Amino acid sequence: MGVAWPEATLGDFLSTLEAGNRPRGGVTGIRSGVPSIGAESITTAGEYDFEETKYILIDFYDAVKRGGLEDRDVLLYKEGGNPGESEPHTL
């Protein structure tokens, strides 16, 4: 039997924990700008469907103060719920 993983929060390991943001009203119809990576485009663990890329306008991106990517960032995704809250479920 293996060693159990210790229980901890992401904040114990990360210097910054942020959620991204999209414009009110969504991104439907925006065909260019800054790619907005969302869980809806993840087809399976680690695979991104580039055909489904959504975009936000450059002006919106420039005004956003959090959620932008930087070198060596780690992305986590989940669907549903509130940003910053997660209730893992196992089978």
Side-chain angles (χ1 to χ4, degrees):
M1 182 154 217
V3 176
W5 287 88
E7 185 173 317
T9 65
L10 287 175
D12 293 338
F13 302 98
L14 305 176
S15 59
T16 304
L17 180 60
E18 297 180 325
N21 199 7
R22 286 187 176 158
R24 183 171 292 233
V27 294
T28 303
I30 301 173
R31 301 282 183 240
S32 65
V34 177
S36 178
I37 300 170
E40 71 276 357
S41 297
I42 307 295
T43 58
T44 188
E47 292 186 18
Y48 183 80
D49 182 359
F50 288 92
E51 297 295 320
E52 300 296 323
T53 299
K54 295 185 172 27
Y55 297 90
I56 57 174
L57 297 174
I58 293 172
D59 290 342
F60 180 83
Y61 176 79
D62 288 342
V64 171
K65 303 295 183 214
R66 62 188 178 99
L69 297 179
E70 296 183 23
D71 190 30
R72 302 186 57 82
D73 276 354
V74 174
L75 303 179
L76 302 173
Y77 70 91
K78 68 180 191 72
E79 291 195 52
N82 296 318
E85 296 178 9
S86 179
E87 294 182 26
H89 300 279
T90 58
L91 297 174

